[in-house]
Amino acid sequence: MTLHARPLRATPPDPLARPAATRIAEVDGLRGIALTLVVVFHLFGHGRVSGGVDVFLTVSGFLLVLSLGRALRDGRPLGIVARWARTFARLAPPAAVVLLAITALTFTVYSPWLREQNLVEVVSSALYVENWQLISSQLSYGAAGPQTSPLQHFWSLSVQAQFFLVFPLLASVVLFLRARSARTLVFWTLLAAATAASFAYAWHLNALAPSVAYFHSLARFWELGAGGLLAAAVLAGWRLPRPARVVAGWAGLAMILASGFLFDGGAAYPGPAALVPVGGAALVLLSAEGGPGSPSRLLSSRPLRELDAVSYGLYLWHWPLLIAFFTIKGRDELGWRGALVVLGASALLAVLTRVALSRPIARVTGQGMRRSLAVALVAIAVAAVPAGVAAARAQADPPAVALDSCAGAATLDPARPDCRNADFAGEMTPALEDLRRDDANRAECWGGPEVYEMRLCALGETEGYSARILAVGDSHNNVFLDVYEDIAEARGWRIDASGRAGCKWVAPETPISGKQPEDEAACRAWRTEIGRLAASGDYDAILTVASSKHREKPVDPDQSPEEYHTEITVDAWADRGGAETPILALVDNPIFPEDALGCLADPAAVEAGECELPRREALKPTGIEEAVAQTENAYLIDLTDLECDIDVCRMVQGGVIVTRDGAHLTASYAATLAPYLDRALGRHVG
């Protein structure tokens, strides 16, 4: 970006600097290096986080705040709407082209079970809220693979855009101060305070929930704010001494290049470790116009300016093409030849996008604010509307599918030899495009992220019921809601169901790794309320099931996760008010790696029995059996022989897909377990 400005010096002219400098040429090269580093590390570094995005955000903050600071200093209007129009007229059209391509790939190349999520993320990316979408969807930033979101790289553009939208509005508050000196003082003071507060928050959140911190706008603000404080130094005419600029400039570049090797950025940023790439960017900016021997000549060279010109498009294109490559190849490993193919295709599309759009964008932005704003809004709409319409259609309830009497679990039932060799002609239920939505969960029975109250729903008879059951657990409990309802209605029971994301019925104060404080507090409250209901005497039985994945870490290093889970489970069950209320513990379903879902897209692989895991790997030990053994009037319900064969657990059993995401049963397969769960409950209830 060309930056027009007054000369930056408050000291006598430096004979080695350009006369009457009106731009900071090093910014272009620095930004180009930052975005290209992201691409190179993604393609050749096995998805490792480079620190380039942190530099990119710092430079973005520097440029915006430098411009706002000059306007305040000179007493000129901030021109907020005009800034928005120019910025988004430049950013939105290339993004729209890529988002339209991702929408097309979603229907042709990407895994069909990711279709709905991808479409929602296209809309979120077009509206510059993708980082919040990733947080709400609980998607972590990680290495690429066939099941990875092709839009996760849009998170940084969303954070940048939110800063560009919100910060000028906040800056405009100082205009209510009459004195120009007061405006300037308040502006820079507020920026410094906000940057410090954001850094403290990022440090705290990174230690608590790094996957959330990585995307969180408030945790990322300090990186943009740090760039803004650098702008304050430039506007004040602060300069590093000439000899120091040479050393500082190269040291800054070294810090930027090394940051991707020094830290696991996906887990460490934007915490204190991000001071390395951000500090490197600061040193480079403060050593601008360093003269001979400094990196200034390199950063302002034509090759790096050309790199900067295409780096935005390269950043936009490389990730969706990488995910397409992995999906087509059916693997998540990228050799150097594959990396070169993706890089070449990304570079070609980046250049074509720039050639096609640069002149029209320049012409429109030169015709005034209204046309620029119109271009930005049209580009956003062009990207968002098709995906939004498609997502709305995808979210419509899929057609009901009648299951064959031998489908699913029946093929593993020793009492149904007629089903053992049933032929389903290669057909699978549900359809792959409906796989992620084949879920029985309901909002009224569910406490997900950002839902802090306990939700309890009544299934079956609400009055005159012959038995009342409390069914509780995490999301692995709520996959059975339709089954619970069918059983309750058939038997004249009432089943009160309540589930909470990542929250098991164990001792209330048990900490959970990776939870935000408010979510952990809500989990403690949920457990306490479950304990109160269990002790109320209102229930004829309590049914509980939870994921076999351990998120509760033992304090004692000599205690295994299974032993710890037994201990905290027994503690919770002991508070139910008496042993007269039976506890029924349902053993968890098999767990498959999420990237194993790609096997389902290959009918030949399914038919050949390749979509399976050894039983000992798919069924994780939890300690629940020992908890049952240690608790009076507690019983184990084990349906795993109806989910897995004697040696293996298949992802497709009896023509029905067992798992919708690797961790949860599909509602369709849970339905085939209904008669067996009904039989088990009938033995202990009533």
Side-chain angles (χ1 to χ4, degrees), residues 445-615:
C445 318
W446 178 242
E450 310 302 327
V451 176
Y452 302 122
E453 74 274 11
M454 178 186 179
R455 293 182 176 177
L456 184 75
C457 62
L459 307 172
E461 305 296 332
T462 55
E463 296 180 358
Y465 41 82
S466 60
R468 188 178 181 185
I469 300 172
L470 179 64
V472 298
D474 59 13
S475 54
H476 290 226
N477 172 71
N478 282 36
V479 300
F480 286 103
L481 289 181
D482 289 348
V483 174
Y484 293 161
E485 187 167 50
D486 290 343
I487 292 172
E489 290 176 350
R491 288 186 174 268
W493 291 350
R494 170 175 169 171
I495 298 181
D496 292 345
S498 180
R500 178 151 196 92
C503 191
K504 304 174 185 178
W505 182 32
V506 293
E509 297 304 316
T510 304
I512 310 172
S513 61
K515 281 279 188 181
Q516 294 192 66
E518 55 268 29
D519 286 330
E520 192 159 7
C523 182
R524 287 196 299 269
W526 179 86
R527 292 167 176 166
T528 301
E529 181 62 14
I530 294 302
R532 187 192 67 78
L533 291 173
S536 67
D538 295 337
Y539 292 96
D540 298 287
I542 304 167
L543 174 64
T544 182
V545 59
S547 170
S548 57
K549 294 182 178 180
H550 293 292
R551 300 182 67 183
E552 302 83 12
K553 307 299 182 184
V555 176
D556 184 352
D558 295 327
Q559 189 177 37
S560 70
E562 293 78 22
E563 291 170 336
Y564 182 61
H565 188 243
T566 296
E567 176 186 319
I568 57 180
T569 300
V570 170
D571 286 348
W573 292 357
D575 291 335
R576 71 186 191 273
E580 63 274 7
T581 304
I583 288 179
L584 312 176
L586 180 60
V587 177
D588 191 30
N589 54 256
I591 303 292
F592 300 90
E594 187 175 1
D595 57 10
L597 290 178
C599 187
L600 297 175
D602 184 355
V606 175
E607 188 67 23
E610 297 175 9
C611 303
E612 59 189 36
L613 274 183
R615 180 175 174 129

Side-chain angles (χ1 to χ4, degrees), residues 261-495:
F261 298 98
L262 294 174
F263 303 106
D264 176 9
Y269 300 156
L275 286 169
V276 174
V278 171
L283 288 176
V284 172
L285 291 172
L286 290 176
S287 61
E289 297 186 352
S294 77
S296 294
R297 182 171 297 177
L298 171 66
L299 291 172
S300 59
S301 64
R302 182 172 180 178
L304 280 187
R305 292 201 306 271
E306 293 296 327
L307 179 63
D308 176 51
V310 299
S311 62
Y312 177 52
L314 187 64
Y315 180 83
L316 290 175
W317 280 110
H318 85 283
W319 191 259
L321 292 183
L322 179 59
I323 304 305
F325 179 89
F326 281 137
T327 305
I328 293 169
K329 293 293 185 179
R331 64 172 189 258
D332 57 3
E333 295 181 358
L334 187 69
W336 66 268
R337 290 185 181 89
L340 287 175
V341 168
V342 175
L343 179 61
S346 303
L348 176 61
L349 288 172
V351 171
L352 291 176
T353 302
R354 176 170 171 75
V355 169
L357 296 178
S358 58
R359 288 188 178 180
I361 290 174
R363 185 167 58 249
V364 170
T365 54
Q367 293 176 349
M369 178 189 71
R370 291 185 179 180
R371 291 203 176 188
S372 297
L373 192 59
V375 166
L377 294 175
V378 168
I380 290 171
V382 165
V385 171
V389 171
R393 290 179 177 176
Q395 289 174 347
D397 291 334
V401 177
L403 291 171
D404 186 276
S405 62
C406 276
T411 60
L412 294 172
D413 183 357
R416 297 288 308 274
D418 56 312
C419 294
R420 189 69 188 184
N421 297 313
D423 184 11
F424 296 92
E427 294 185 3
M428 295 186 295
T429 302
L432 291 181
E433 59 267 26
D434 296 326
L435 183 59
R436 287 294 177 92
R437 291 184 294 138
D438 197 48
D439 181 15
N441 206 352
R442 310 176 189 182
E444 62 269 23
C445 318
W446 178 242
E450 310 302 327
V451 176
Y452 302 122
E453 74 274 11
M454 178 186 179
R455 293 182 176 177
L456 184 75
C457 62
L459 307 172
E461 305 296 332
T462 55
E463 296 180 358
Y465 41 82
S466 60
R468 188 178 181 185
I469 300 172
L470 179 64
V472 298
D474 59 13
S475 54
H476 290 226
N477 172 71
N478 282 36
V479 300
F480 286 103
L481 289 181
D482 289 348
V483 174
Y484 293 161
E485 187 167 50
D486 290 343
I487 292 172
E489 290 176 350
R491 288 186 174 268
W493 291 350
R494 170 175 169 171
I495 298 181

Side-chain angles (χ1 to χ4, degrees), residues 151-174:
L151 294 123
Q152 72 174 17
H153 65 314
F154 271 85
W155 76 265
S156 60
L157 304 179
S158 297
V159 170
Q160 179 200 37
Q162 291 161 28
F163 184 78
F164 284 172
L165 284 168
V166 174
F167 189 75
L169 285 177
L170 297 178
S172 67
V173 174
V174 304

